[in-house]
Amino acid sequence: MAKSDQIASLLARRILHGDYTQREIPTEVALAAETGASRPTARKAIQKLIDDGLVVRASNGRVQMAEDVSRRRLQVCLLGPAFVSGNSARARVTLDH
């Protein structure tokens, strides 16, 4: 697998995992430094994500998550305890409020 494909896969996993909901997607320079790749390789990886529709390039040149990706809802599953203990009642009150 080409280095740019590896970087694109890494970023895609992070995006779909929600890592960039509260912080910006790294710049090409930062991405290259983080992965040990060249800037053109990082640029190629980002372009792959743009082509796949996961990210868009804003008018200021920054890369952002595409709207349909950022609107996906987070699904959370909370499990109840298998047995009742003194702490389970406290936890239920905390979660219900």
Side-chain angles (χ1 to χ4, degrees), residues 9-90:
S9 178
L10 171 71
L11 276 179
R13 281 194 312 271
R14 288 179 179 177
I15 289 168
L16 296 174
H17 187 258
D19 291 359
Y20 299 116
T21 55
Q22 299 296 319
R23 60 186 174 120
E24 293 184 351
I25 295 172
T27 63
E28 293 170 4
V29 172
L31 189 57
E34 177 186 346
T35 59
S38 66
R39 183 174 177 209
T41 300
R43 182 177 186 83
K44 188 175 178 182
I46 289 173
Q47 186 59 50
K48 181 175 177 7
L49 296 180
I50 291 171
D51 295 342
D52 291 346
L54 283 175
V55 297
V56 294
R57 195 171 294 276
S59 59
N60 63 2
R62 301 283 302 184
V63 176
Q64 302 172 344
M65 282 192 302
E67 285 221 10
D68 62 327
V69 174
S70 62
R71 287 187 182 182
R72 292 183 187 171
R73 292 192 302 168
L74 176 65
Q75 295 181 356
V76 176
C77 177
L78 300 174
L79 303 175
F83 56 91
V84 178
S85 70
N87 292 330
S88 63
R90 237 181 314 167

